[in-house]
Amino acid sequence: MSSLHPRAGRRCHNAVNPLHSTVYFSPDYARELALIGVEDGGAAYFAGRAAALGAVGPGTVTASFYNFSHELIARHLPAVWDTASPAEVLDARSRAVDATLRRLLGDDTASSPEMAEAARLALRATEACTRHARPLYAAHADLPVPEEPHLALWHAATLLREHRGDGHLAALLSAGLDPLEALVSHTATGKGMSPRWILASRGWRRSDWEAASDRLRERGLLDGDGELTEAGTALRAELEEHTDRLDLAPYEHLGADGVARLTELGRGFLLAAAAAGAFPDGLTGKD
């Protein structure tokens, strides 16, 4: 039996994961990728998140990212690797992470004892992550750990994010939700991305969204107003619990006190980053 609260790992993830996400919304990221010739925002995102996998084609990224349109990915991959190699993209991403976290949190916080403590705790948690059936995690686990505390924390946050994310995809498959059904049902919880943001960034059309909604209604998971039914709410809850079970090992390894402390530190960094404008308006919600 685990000594952790059943949702302790999820709470820690929700505190630490957004710190990873800040870079992909950052003007520093767009600038660094543009400096190596990757000027299109979509190409920059796919290249930056997939570079650890090597010079992969669209099929690999569609499989490992799950909720993006394959046609959108194929518009940018593998062509982006003719502009910049995966190694060049990873270097540019690292520079963007450095600039972003220093801008959002300040130089003093980036090099603070609290940042170093958070990095140590997060890295300790990753010691119990597993590579099998987790391609994005496994690819990033092969990268070296940076020395500077804020970069080390970002690296560890990335490992924890992708470890949980890869497991979540297994849970989605088990639940029988295709990529857009997963997005529509998550948005219906009120905690997912807004439809406008999804349609602008994931390569889907409004007609695709409506078709996915119809399929969920046929399964009794959405009602006529697009709200989750009792069965839909239960399915989304089980999805998260399934993901928690698949992602339990790193947090059990860290222990209850370590998880609580990492959650506390992560929330502090997240609140500071959000107050500094890390995330765009209208990112989440049902509208």
Side-chain angles (χ1 to χ4, degrees):
M1 296 292 290
S2 173
S3 62
L4 292 175
H5 185 280
R7 294 187 181 178
R10 189 192 311 180
R11 290 170 181 164
C12 191
H13 166 81
N14 289 341
V16 174
N17 172 55
L19 193 68
H20 161 94
S21 302
T22 56
V23 70
Y24 294 112
F25 299 109
S26 171
D28 306 301
Y29 182 77
R31 183 187 67 250
E32 291 294 343
L33 269 291
L35 287 173
I36 60 171
V38 184
E39 298 181 354
D40 182 275
Y45 176 78
F46 293 129
R49 207 166 152 228
L53 294 164
V56 294
T60 300
V61 174
T62 298
S64 54
F65 285 24
Y66 199 82
N67 62 26
F68 288 81
S69 160
H70 178 73
E71 288 71 22
L72 175 62
I73 296 169
R75 197 179 303 162
H76 302 296
L77 296 176
V80 70
W81 309 125
D82 294 331
T83 300
S85 70
E88 290 172 323
V89 170
L90 288 171
D91 286 344
R93 186 180 73 172
S94 182
R95 293 191 296 271
V97 171
D98 179 51
T100 298
L101 294 184
R102 289 184 182 280
R103 176 173 53 81
L104 294 174
L105 302 178
D107 289 341
D108 289 345
T109 297
S111 59
S112 67
E114 291 78 11
M115 182 66 70
E117 180 186 5
R120 287 194 301 272
L121 290 168
L123 287 168
R124 188 185 308 159
T126 68
E127 294 171 354
C129 292
T130 54
R131 285 180 168 83
H132 46 274
R134 288 183 163 97
L136 271 175
Y137 162 75
H140 283 87
D142 287 342
L143 300 178
V145 179
E147 292 185 6
E148 294 185 77
H150 64 302
L151 299 182
L153 176 59
W154 192 87
H155 174 76
T158 301
L159 297 182
L160 293 171
R161 168 199 170 94
E162 302 299 8
H163 188 268
R164 183 178 180 87
D166 287 338
H168 187 61
L169 302 193
L172 290 172
L173 285 172
S174 179
L177 292 176
D178 69 25
L180 199 44
E181 291 166 0
L183 289 169
V184 171
S185 60
H186 190 207
T187 295
T189 68
K191 299 177 182 179
M193 289 189 297
S194 70
R196 285 177 294 176
W197 186 267
I198 290 171
L199 296 178
S201 65
R202 261 53 181 173
W204 303 107
R205 299 177 295 272
R206 174 60 67 174
S207 59
D208 298 321
W209 181 274
E210 295 301 336
S213 299
D214 288 342
R215 293 194 297 274
L216 293 172
R217 290 188 184 96
E218 290 171 3
R219 291 177 60 181
L221 301 175
L222 280 188
D223 64 20
D225 296 323
E227 299 292 331
L228 289 173
T229 62
E230 184 176 345
T233 299
L235 178 66
R236 288 300 318 188
E238 170 53 27
L239 267 173
E240 295 304 325
E241 290 166 7
H242 189 176
T243 303
D244 289 343
R245 293 192 295 272
L246 293 174
D247 193 41
L248 181 61
Y251 301 101
E252 278 195 323
H253 179 69
L254 184 56
D257 290 344
V259 170
R261 180 58 174 159
L262 180 57
T263 303
E264 177 186 16
L265 291 167
R267 282 176 177 162
F269 297 142
L270 174 58
L271 288 173
F279 306 104
D281 293 333
L283 182 60
T284 61
K286 297 182 179 182
D287 298 324

